[in-house]
Amino acid sequence: MKQWHKEIIAYQIYPRSYCDTNGDGIGDIKGIIGKLDYLKELGINTVWLSPCYPSPGDDNGYDISDYRGIAPEYGSIEEFKEMLDGMHSRGIRLLMDLVVNHTSDEHEWFVKSRESRDNPYRDYYIWRDPVDGHEPNEWVAAFGGSAWEYDEKTGQYYLHLFSKKQPDLNWENPKVRQEIADMINYWLDMGVDGFRCDVINNISKDFTRPYAGGNGPRLHEFLHELHVRALEPHGAFTVGETWGLTPAQALDLTGEARGELTTTFQFEHLLLGRVNGDKFDPEPVDRKAFVDILAKWEYGLASDSYPVLVMENHDQPRALSRFGDRENYPYESATMLAMLLYGMRGIPFIYQGQELGLHDPTFNSIDEYRDIETINAYNELKATGKFTEDELIKKMQYGSRDCGRTPMPWTTGSEGGFTSGTPWIKTQVDAGFTVEEQERDEKSVLNFYRKLIKLRKEIPALADGEFALLLNENNTSVYTRTLDGETVYVVSRFDESECPMPDCIPAGLTVLLNNYDSVGDTLKPFQSIWFKK
Ligand code: TEU
Ligand code: CA
């Protein structure tokens, strides 16, 4: 791991919803270029850009039809290079989204693959004969239905762990692995600094399992090969999107001597508030478990890896709506969550709009949704006949990925200043929740994030100090970060009520950051304080 890998403070841009400059209602690269100074002032030093490659858009760009291009709706490769230069000249590095578990069915590899059984591209994908006239196995796709799609022309099924327009690549084929390594080198040679690797633990399949998924027998081998062929020679940073790992499995993918990925996301805390992890089935969030899970990962990766600190992305509803108190303590709970999470050891990832403390937009009918997963889930649940329309809309409102995908509210003007045209998905602009207003307001979530990021860069114990959990009871937690005799205490009240200041906070500490104006004998609702000893 390089030193700069450890110092990353990342910001995820979902380009479709960031800033539109030509009035077509879709965010674009020029829009990002216009916001680079905003990003620099926020203090982040790395951008993760969600896919901006050519794509038919079945899954908003996670179905790629050309790995080496830029989608015309986002701009040109020249504009992309201009954006990259603009980032680098401001000390910001760029991580691209690497989506190599699957391509679009409109990628030329798949177009050829489905032509005939003996086409040279046939083995780029996973084709199987029917079994007794049915799908080869019981696997279901993440977006509903079987993971197998029958193709009339050649009489076989192909595998797709996501939509049927996202056929899975066959990583067993050495030609596929070489194509991917070459493509990675193409972007790294251009100056890109690394990748966020989409569902990367799925690339090796385990067909002995009854459910669809990855962590197959050759995962480590495939990743190490990419490391040697492309990533390591460029010193690139990678973060794997890996759902459902244990800390031990994460260490196996990221340990220094492994030569595989730099880090992985862990999302276990984001499964809270969902019955059996089902995003459309709400239950109250267990706030103690939230902290315990984060602490488990802090301890679990301490020996040989670096956790990623994340609570929002383009697949998640807004953290404020799920974990905070949007009605009564929007500012306090948004800032407390930031202090609780980003006081920990690891690499912060901030999702666009999170720095404004955005809450979920309100969707009134299914027609307002754009996300394939949401629309499919709605139709499946509706077909069961168990829910009223009102109940269905409530479910989608709770769990839909579109909650995090509405456009950035830049100004109080029309469509939040996102577009002069009709946005591809509804905008939600609430008083006090725009960049324009928050920049002016000293006590805004945006200005708070700026302070927090600055401190994380200045205080070595925050960047790399050892983590220890001292207390997690009755919705109050205390942990420390220690480095070279310097200790930072992070105390957080994850509740609507006050409580006494915990005894484990020694007297005479200096306040580094506080989301209330003062420190007293009690912790106020959602108060969090970073102290230094
Ligand atoms: O997501 C993978 C994933 O497993 C989930 O987060 C996904 O959003 C879904 O809820 C599964 O039920 C990644 C991308 O982040 C996501 O946007 C893509 O749709 C998906 O891979 C396929 O590329
Ligand atoms: Ca546009």
Side-chain angles (χ1 to χ4, degrees):
M1 200 170 181
K2 308 245 173 269
Q3 187 56 32
W4 71 264
H5 294 170
K6 298 183 180 175
E7 290 167 2
I8 288 178
I9 299 183
Y11 182 90
Q12 181 192 352
I13 293 181
Y14 196 64
R16 216 173 174 72
S17 296
Y18 207 54
C19 183
D20 173 28
T21 54
N22 64 349
D24 66 354
I26 298 172
D28 41 53
I29 287 173
K30 272 198 177 141
I32 299 172
I33 294 174
K35 299 300 179 189
L36 292 179
D37 287 329
Y38 169 76
L39 295 174
K40 187 171 165 61
E41 264 180 63
L42 181 57
I44 58 96
N45 56 24
T46 303
V47 164
W48 154 26
L49 182 62
S50 276
C52 54
Y53 313 94
S55 160
D58 193 51
D59 187 18
N60 284 1
Y62 283 89
D63 47 322
I64 297 170
S65 51
D66 173 6
Y67 279 125
R68 295 177 187 228
I70 296 296
E73 74 224 61
Y74 291 136
S76 63
I77 197 84
E78 287 71 32
E79 284 166 355
F80 175 84
K81 287 181 182 162
E82 187 189 333
M83 176 189 75
L84 184 60
D85 285 347
M87 287 179 177
H88 285 166
S89 69
R90 288 170 180 81
I92 297 173
R93 289 190 161 91
L94 177 64
L95 311 178
M96 298 279 278
D97 216 309
L98 186 75
V99 188
V100 291
N101 175 67
H102 45 265
T103 67
S104 164
D105 65 339
E106 296 181 34
H107 192 291
E108 65 164 335
W109 298 342
F110 191 75
V111 172
K112 290 179 180 155
S113 184
R114 79 192 318 176
E115 268 171 17
S116 67
R117 290 195 187 202
D118 55 10
N119 188 283
Y121 285 89
R122 187 67 169 181
D123 283 344
Y124 272 47
Y125 296 86
I126 301 171
W127 293 95
R128 292 280 187 279
D129 286 326
V131 175
D132 301 330
H134 293 286
E135 287 79 9
N137 68 20
E138 307 275 83
W139 287 13
V140 289
F143 300 149
S146 170
W148 297 97
E149 180 71 10
Y150 187 65
D151 205 49
E152 289 288 343
K153 188 162 183 202
T154 53
Q156 283 189 314
Y157 286 88
Y158 66 86
L159 180 70
H160 61 91
L161 296 186
F162 293 87
S163 98
K164 64 180 179 196
K165 284 185 67 64
Q166 292 167 300
D168 280 52
L169 282 166
N170 177 20
W171 277 72
E172 303 289 328
N173 181 347
K175 283 194 204 138
V176 168
R177 304 204 298 276
Q178 191 59 54
E179 297 258 23
I180 301 296
D182 293 348
M183 177 269 282
I184 291 175
N185 278 317
Y186 164 82
W187 290 107
L188 292 174
D189 288 343
M190 201 185 288
V192 163
D193 302 284
F195 297 91
R196 173 268 187 187
C197 310
D198 193 64
V199 294
I200 196 70
N201 52 324
N202 284 333
I203 58 175
S204 173
K205 321 289 184 213
D206 182 351
F207 283 105
T208 67
R209 295 228 196 100
Y211 51 88
N215 296 320
R218 299 184 71 187
L219 176 62
H220 297 292
E221 177 197 336
F222 294 162
L223 288 175
H224 184 65
E225 195 179 80
L226 285 186
H227 184 82
V228 171
R229 288 181 178 172
L231 299 164
E232 165 64 17
H234 287 90
F237 171 87
T238 52
V239 50
E241 190 212 19
T242 45
W243 278 89
L245 296 188
T246 62
Q249 285 174 311
L251 273 180
D252 279 349
L253 289 165
T254 61
E256 193 65 46
R258 304 282 316 189
E260 296 182 30
L261 297 169
T262 318
T263 55
T264 54
F265 286 112
Q266 81 78 12
F267 301 115
E268 204 180 329
H269 53 304
L270 302 184
L271 295 172
L272 294 169
R274 299 172 168 179
V275 178
N276 297 323
D278 177 351
K279 61 177 78 174
F280 300 116
D281 199 355
E283 67 180 3
V285 170
D286 180 341
R287 291 167 171 178
K288 177 175 158 52
F290 188 90
V291 178
D292 280 338
I293 290 169
L294 292 172
K296 175 180 98 178
W297 282 87
E298 288 286 291
Y299 286 122
L301 299 191
S303 62
D304 194 20
S305 187
Y306 233 69
V308 174
L309 308 171
V310 66
M311 59 179 163
E312 285 188 16
N313 62 35
H314 65 292
D315 293 333
Q316 298 291 331
R318 294 289 180 178
L320 179 63
S321 295
R322 281 179 69 193
F323 307 117
D325 184 336
R326 162 187 175 166
E327 292 304 317
N328 305 302
Y329 299 101
Y331 172 83
E332 292 79 4
S333 58
T335 51
M336 182 282 291
L337 286 167
M339 290 176 75
L340 173 65
L341 183 68
Y342 300 133
M344 292 187 176
R345 176 177 174 272
I347 301 171
F349 270 67
I350 299 164
Y351 179 59
Q352 66 184 44
Q354 184 187 326
E355 78 276 25
L356 303 176
L358 292 189
H359 48 71
D360 289 343
T362 307
F363 292 97
N364 299 305
S365 92
I366 192 65
D367 305 331
E368 290 181 336
Y369 288 99
R370 298 288 175 269
D371 170 30
I372 178 172
E373 180 185 65
T374 309
I375 294 166
N376 288 358
Y378 169 90
N379 288 329
E380 274 186 19
L381 290 168
K382 193 180 171 117
T384 66
K386 287 189 198 150
F387 307 100
T388 64
E389 187 62 23
D390 200 41
E391 286 167 339
L392 288 171
I393 289 302
K394 279 214 181 85
K395 280 177 173 292
M396 300 304 117
Q397 175 69 59
Y398 187 75
S400 173
R401 305 195 296 182
D402 278 341
C403 291
R405 294 181 179 182
T406 54
M408 253 313 260
W410 295 102
T411 70
T412 54
S414 160
E415 306 295 358
F418 163 71
T419 180
S420 59
T422 308
W424 71 277
I425 188 172
K426 67 175 286 183
T427 48
Q428 171 117 4
V429 188
D430 295 311
F433 289 89
T434 65
V435 171
E436 182 188 3
E437 292 160 286
Q438 294 204 8
E439 285 200 315
R440 284 198 303 254
D441 177 3
E442 191 41 46
K443 228 200 114 182
S444 64
V445 178
L446 175 60
N447 278 313
F448 191 88
Y449 262 86
R450 288 172 172 167
K451 274 185 229 155
L452 180 150
I453 292 168
K454 190 160 176 279
L455 277 170
R456 260 209 76 116
K457 292 197 282 197
E458 283 169 6
I459 313 256
L462 279 174
D464 211 7
E466 189 182 337
F467 170 92
L469 184 67
L470 305 190
L471 175 82
N472 183 20
E473 265 168 30
N474 303 320
N475 293 343
T476 300
S477 65
V478 179
Y479 64 83
T480 51
R481 302 285 314 287
T482 309
L483 185 74
D484 301 332
E486 184 181 56
T487 300
V488 173
Y489 284 79
V490 175
V491 54
S492 305
R493 179 70 180 149
F494 202 157
D495 201 88
E496 289 76 2
S497 67
E498 287 187 36
C499 75
M501 184 66 78
D503 293 337
C504 57
I505 301 287
L509 300 178
T510 314
V511 176
L512 287 174
L513 188 65
N514 180 2
N515 64 350
Y516 275 76
D517 291 335
S518 61
V519 176
D521 302 336
T522 60
L523 286 172
K524 305 282 184 214
F526 296 102
Q527 184 165 20
S528 185
I529 309 163
W530 286 1
F531 288 108
K532 195 175 128 177
K533 192 165 144 184

